[in-house]
Amino acid sequence: MSTTIRFTLVILSVLLVSSSLGGVTAKLLEQNLMERNIFERWLVENHKNYNGLGEKDQRFQIFMDNVRFVQEHNSVPNQSYELGLTRFADLTNEEFRAMYLRKKMERTRVSAKAERYLHKVGDKLPDEVDWRAKGAVVPVKDQGSCGSCWAFSAIGAVEGINQIKTGELVSLSEQELVDCDTSYNEGCNGGLMDYAFQFIIDNGGIDTEEDYPYAATDVNMCNSDKKNTRVVTIDGFEDVPENDEKSLKKALAHQPISVAIEAGGREFQLYQSGVFTGTCGTALDHGVVAVGYGTSQEGQDYWIIRNSWGSNWGESGYVKLQRNIKDSSGKCGVAMMASYPTKSSSINPPKPPPPSPVVCDKSYTCPAKSTCCCLYEYKGKCYSWGCCPYESATCCEDGSSCCPQAYPVCDLEAGTCRMKANSPLSVKALTRGPATATTKATNKLVSSA
């Protein structure tokens, strides 16, 4: 949440108190104007658009209800964590859980038990660990409204152990798991990290994020060419001893760990900073990555958890989750289903050659993983090309914009791309870039732009 919006919330709190005490019409008008301004700034900051009739007013009412919830929590002295206007502040808690969480995560196979990281009396562990500082964690990613948290959790753990063993941090493909790991896992409808590890082992490796980018959908067929591009390998996987925070700490001292938590509470939805000690149970519904642990200045122990909801949630995409609680399952069930990949070799398969550019015609190309869009056509021949920065994109009829595969319907009037013709879900339309001339163009009607 930006500093501007946070400061405005403080002023709004004063106005709310003033209006309740005095009932002055001018104060109420001023309050309403400020509420609208906060909402508009939040919309810009979070790149939100609404297409449905009355949708914006409905979202505003939900937003203000969440504002009041945030203010009520933050007004209590000595809280260990703060709430804020996260990217989910225009959703009810029911909508949030339906869109970003899926069915309860439960092991349906025998646990891969191991004693590698079983805590033993006399074990000496560091007081704090942060794998981000050690270069083993890629920047926070965003799963979108696809329930693919399991893929992000598993990939984050694989990225970590690969960096530890090879010294190279490589961002790997969650989309390959979503598209291709379908024997047990269910794409956007949920899955388990252990099955993802098993897929990577059986496949002989996993491709990079750059070559097989995330699309936030599971409607695509598995790309067999990219599935067979094995850039990073693992040897196996093991489960951390269940319901044992000391063993989880020991494991985390050695590598990033895939964990599952219950993340469906309203406080978690609007978490902004601090050590989360709020309400949550053990109905595991979200896969994340534990990347460290520490203790706050106030003496509160915590886990460092990397989420997959983008950087405009929590502490730039992370949450400090309370550690060392009385319940053996850990806060939000963090110690119930922890697992990790194993890797012994410091060598991965040879890197594949760089991807070839996309050929538009004999005279023009676009960069790899993009789409050629004709700008000017005459009698069936295209005389100028532009490039949409996504594969399998829709080229809009205005000649300058395009839409990603997951949002293929061009709304030229709104400048957005819809998921379906009448869907309220949309993203901002993309702008085409110029195509590259590979040979001297033979036509002189126009130049490529």
Side-chain angles (χ1 to χ4, degrees):
M1 182 172 66
S2 70
T3 303
T4 302
I5 292 180
R6 189 179 301 179
F7 177 71
T8 308
L9 275 176
V10 174
I11 299 175
L12 179 59
S13 297
V14 175
L15 288 173
L16 284 170
V17 173
S18 299
S19 62
S20 64
L21 292 176
V24 182
T25 302
K27 289 287 187 182
L28 290 175
L29 290 174
E30 186 177 356
Q31 174 189 322
N32 186 262
L33 178 61
M34 184 165 288
E35 290 174 353
R36 286 286 179 179
N37 286 339
I38 292 173
F39 186 51
E40 292 296 334
R41 290 176 184 174
W42 181 88
L43 289 175
V44 172
E45 187 177 295
N46 290 276
H47 311 289
K48 290 288 187 93
N49 293 287
Y50 306 117
N51 292 314
L53 183 64
E55 179 76 5
K56 187 173 183 179
D57 286 338
Q58 180 187 357
R59 292 295 144 198
F60 172 69
Q61 297 302 325
I62 295 170
F63 177 83
M64 287 310 305
D65 186 57
N66 281 327
V67 167
R68 286 184 282 271
F69 183 79
V70 168
Q71 291 173 330
E72 181 179 348
H73 171 86
N74 292 348
S75 66
V76 178
N78 302 318
Q79 294 275 28
S80 66
Y81 66 101
E82 284 192 352
L83 302 183
L85 300 181
T86 68
R87 56 178 293 188
F88 308 122
D90 63 340
L91 300 174
T92 67
N93 184 247
E94 291 74 18
E95 290 172 328
F96 164 73
R97 285 187 280 109
M99 292 177 66
Y100 293 95
L101 304 171
R102 291 300 186 266
K103 61 186 180 182
K104 183 178 179 181
M105 303 175 75
E106 296 179 306
R107 283 196 175 109
T108 55
R109 46 169 288 281
V110 178
S111 176
K113 294 182 179 180
E115 295 190 0
R116 182 191 304 255
Y117 296 136
L118 176 64
H119 182 267
K120 300 173 183 177
V121 177
D123 280 344
K124 293 183 179 180
L125 301 173
D127 291 334
E128 59 182 35
V129 169
D130 190 341
W131 286 106
R132 296 172 296 182
K134 298 174 182 288
V137 184
V138 305
V140 169
K141 301 181 182 182
D142 187 354
Q143 70 183 69
S145 56
C146 168
S148 54
C149 60
W150 58 274
F152 284 84
S153 175
I155 287 295
V158 174
E159 290 166 342
I161 192 62
N162 180 67
Q163 191 279 335
I164 291 167
K165 292 298 183 180
T166 69
E168 185 177 10
L169 183 62
V170 181
S171 183
L172 301 174
S173 175
E174 292 84 8
Q175 193 62 44
E176 180 176 339
L177 293 179
V178 171
D179 290 347
C180 308
D181 179 17
T182 56
S183 295
Y184 298 98
N185 290 326
E186 301 178 41
C188 290
N189 290 316
L192 295 177
M193 289 74 82
D194 282 4
Y195 289 136
F197 295 144
Q198 189 63 57
F199 169 84
I200 296 172
I201 295 166
D202 294 343
N203 190 54
I206 186 105
D207 199 2
T208 63
E209 171 78 13
E210 181 182 12
D211 190 51
Y212 203 154
Y214 188 62
T217 179
D218 58 5
V219 300
N220 302 323
M221 296 290 290
C222 176
N223 187 318
S224 58
D225 290 337
K226 294 179 179 182
K227 176 175 176 283
N228 291 327
T229 304
R230 305 173 180 95
V231 177
V232 168
T233 62
I234 58 174
D235 302 330
F237 66 93
E238 296 170 350
D239 296 334
V240 177
E242 294 180 22
N243 300 320
D244 185 346
E245 282 199 283
K246 291 183 178 179
S247 291
L248 178 56
K249 180 181 178 181
K250 183 175 180 178
L252 197 46
H254 291 83
Q255 64 185 95
I257 304 294
S258 287
V259 296
I261 59 174
E262 181 183 297
R266 193 176 185 186
E267 292 171 330
F268 203 84
Q269 173 185 347
L270 300 171
Y271 166 82
Q272 179 173 281
S273 64
V275 179
F276 184 80
T277 58
T279 302
C280 59
T282 57
L284 307 179
D285 54 16
H286 190 49
V288 288
V289 191
V291 298
Y293 59 83
T295 304
S296 70
Q297 292 181 345
E298 295 73 27
Q300 179 69 66
D301 294 334
Y302 59 80
W303 304 107
I304 304 172
I305 303 294
R306 194 195 77 166
N307 207 341
S308 53
W309 292 341
S311 60
N312 200 11
W313 177 89
E315 296 187 353
S316 300
Y318 290 84
V319 55
K320 292 187 178 82
L321 194 63
Q322 185 181 12
R323 179 168 61 90
N324 289 334
I325 68 172
K326 292 181 180 179
D327 191 335
S328 63
S329 60
K331 188 66 178 176
C332 305
V334 70
M336 294 174 65
M337 196 186 291
S339 59
Y340 53 91
T342 59
K343 183 180 178 73
S344 57
S345 176
S346 61
I347 300 174
N348 282 313
K351 291 185 178 180
S356 301
V358 178
V359 177
C360 302
D361 61 17
K362 64 182 180 180
S363 300
Y364 291 100
T365 64
C366 282
K369 304 181 189 67
S370 64
T371 300
C372 294
C373 291
C374 184
L375 301 180
Y376 302 103
E377 184 178 342
Y378 181 69
K379 292 187 176 180
K381 178 176 175 60
C382 186
Y383 287 91
S384 184
W385 294 91
C387 304
C388 186
Y390 282 97
E391 289 183 288
S392 305
T394 299
C395 302
C396 300
E397 294 181 357
D398 61 355
S400 62
S401 61
C402 58
C403 291
Q405 186 179 22
Y407 293 83
V409 180
C410 301
D411 187 336
L412 299 181
E413 185 175 344
T416 61
C417 304
R418 298 189 188 188
M419 187 174 288
K420 296 179 181 178
N422 298 318
S423 173
L425 299 176
S426 66
V427 295
K428 187 177 180 181
L430 304 166
T431 301
R432 304 177 196 174
T436 301
T438 53
T439 60
K440 187 174 181 180
T442 56
N443 71 78
K444 296 184 180 181
L445 290 179
V446 292
S447 60
S448 182

PDB file of all heavy atoms in Angstrom, residues 30 101 145 170 317 382 384 403 416 420:
ATOM      1  N   GLU A  30     -17.170  15.794   2.940  1.00  0.00           N
ATOM      2  CA  GLU A  30     -15.714  15.735   2.839  1.00  0.00           C
ATOM      3  C   GLU A  30     -15.220  14.300   3.006  1.00  0.00           C
ATOM      4  O   GLU A  30     -14.324  13.848   2.303  1.00  0.00           O
ATOM      5  CB  GLU A  30     -15.093  16.635   3.903  1.00  0.00           C
ATOM      6  CG  GLU A  30     -13.571  16.761   3.784  1.00  0.00           C
ATOM      7  CD  GLU A  30     -13.001  17.708   4.817  1.00  0.00           C
ATOM      8  OE1 GLU A  30     -13.784  18.320   5.561  1.00  0.00           O
ATOM      9  OE2 GLU A  30     -11.759  17.813   4.888  1.00  0.00           O
ATOM     10  N   LEU A 101      -7.985 -19.341  -3.519  1.00  0.00           N
ATOM     11  CA  LEU A 101      -7.694 -20.571  -2.790  1.00  0.00           C
ATOM     12  C   LEU A 101      -8.558 -21.678  -3.353  1.00  0.00           C
ATOM     13  O   LEU A 101      -9.569 -21.426  -3.982  1.00  0.00           O
ATOM     14  CB  LEU A 101      -7.959 -20.376  -1.292  1.00  0.00           C
ATOM     15  CG  LEU A 101      -7.205 -19.212  -0.643  1.00  0.00           C
ATOM     16  CD1 LEU A 101      -7.702 -18.974   0.762  1.00  0.00           C
ATOM     17  CD2 LEU A 101      -5.699 -19.466  -0.647  1.00  0.00           C
ATOM     18  N   SER A 145      -5.491 -15.373 -10.668  1.00  0.00           N
ATOM     19  CA  SER A 145      -6.696 -16.004 -10.108  1.00  0.00           C
ATOM     20  C   SER A 145      -6.770 -17.490 -10.421  1.00  0.00           C
ATOM     21  O   SER A 145      -7.835 -18.089 -10.411  1.00  0.00           O
ATOM     22  CB  SER A 145      -7.951 -15.294 -10.633  1.00  0.00           C
ATOM     23  OG  SER A 145      -7.973 -15.287 -12.040  1.00  0.00           O
ATOM     24  N   VAL A 170      18.075 -19.708 -11.114  1.00  0.00           N
ATOM     25  CA  VAL A 170      17.330 -19.777 -12.369  1.00  0.00           C
ATOM     26  C   VAL A 170      15.837 -19.783 -12.059  1.00  0.00           C
ATOM     27  O   VAL A 170      15.365 -20.627 -11.289  1.00  0.00           O
ATOM     28  CB  VAL A 170      17.687 -21.058 -13.165  1.00  0.00           C
ATOM     29  CG1 VAL A 170      16.917 -21.089 -14.482  1.00  0.00           C
ATOM     30  CG2 VAL A 170      19.189 -21.124 -13.415  1.00  0.00           C
ATOM     31  N   GLY A 317       5.225  -8.942  -0.803  1.00  0.00           N
ATOM     32  CA  GLY A 317       4.955 -10.317  -1.235  1.00  0.00           C
ATOM     33  C   GLY A 317       5.275 -11.367  -0.196  1.00  0.00           C
ATOM     34  O   GLY A 317       5.024 -12.555  -0.418  1.00  0.00           O
ATOM     35  N   CYS A 382       0.232  -8.465 -46.317  1.00  0.00           N
ATOM     36  CA  CYS A 382       0.539  -7.571 -45.222  1.00  0.00           C
ATOM     37  C   CYS A 382       1.778  -6.753 -45.568  1.00  0.00           C
ATOM     38  O   CYS A 382       2.822  -7.302 -45.926  1.00  0.00           O
ATOM     39  CB  CYS A 382       0.782  -8.358 -43.929  1.00  0.00           C
ATOM     40  SG  CYS A 382       1.007  -7.286 -42.494  1.00  0.00           S
ATOM     41  N   SER A 384       2.994  -4.261 -43.396  1.00  0.00           N
ATOM     42  CA  SER A 384       3.676  -3.793 -42.191  1.00  0.00           C
ATOM     43  C   SER A 384       3.249  -4.644 -41.010  1.00  0.00           C
ATOM     44  O   SER A 384       2.080  -5.012 -40.887  1.00  0.00           O
ATOM     45  CB  SER A 384       3.343  -2.322 -41.933  1.00  0.00           C
ATOM     46  OG  SER A 384       4.066  -1.836 -40.828  1.00  0.00           O
ATOM     47  N   CYS A 403      -4.059  -8.510 -27.088  1.00  0.00           N
ATOM     48  CA  CYS A 403      -4.504  -9.094 -25.824  1.00  0.00           C
ATOM     49  C   CYS A 403      -3.840 -10.439 -25.588  1.00  0.00           C
ATOM     50  O   CYS A 403      -3.686 -11.231 -26.532  1.00  0.00           O
ATOM     51  CB  CYS A 403      -6.026  -9.277 -25.837  1.00  0.00           C
ATOM     52  SG  CYS A 403      -6.956  -7.715 -25.791  1.00  0.00           S
ATOM     53  N   THR A 416      -9.130  -2.387 -22.845  1.00  0.00           N
ATOM     54  CA  THR A 416      -8.835  -3.544 -22.010  1.00  0.00           C
ATOM     55  C   THR A 416      -9.015  -4.844 -22.785  1.00  0.00           C
ATOM     56  O   THR A 416      -9.514  -4.850 -23.922  1.00  0.00           O
ATOM     57  CB  THR A 416      -9.747  -3.580 -20.762  1.00  0.00           C
ATOM     58  OG1 THR A 416     -11.119  -3.666 -21.191  1.00  0.00           O
ATOM     59  CG2 THR A 416      -9.557  -2.335 -19.925  1.00  0.00           C
ATOM     60  N   LYS A 420     -13.752 -13.185 -21.216  1.00  0.00           N
ATOM     61  CA  LYS A 420     -14.825 -13.581 -22.118  1.00  0.00           C
ATOM     62  C   LYS A 420     -15.595 -12.329 -22.509  1.00  0.00           C
ATOM     63  O   LYS A 420     -15.420 -11.271 -21.907  1.00  0.00           O
ATOM     64  CB  LYS A 420     -15.753 -14.600 -21.445  1.00  0.00           C
ATOM     65  CG  LYS A 420     -15.079 -15.926 -21.110  1.00  0.00           C
ATOM     66  CD  LYS A 420     -16.053 -16.881 -20.435  1.00  0.00           C
ATOM     67  CE  LYS A 420     -15.370 -18.194 -20.068  1.00  0.00           C
ATOM     68  NZ  LYS A 420     -16.297 -19.123 -19.374  1.00  0.00           N
TER      69      LYS A 420
END
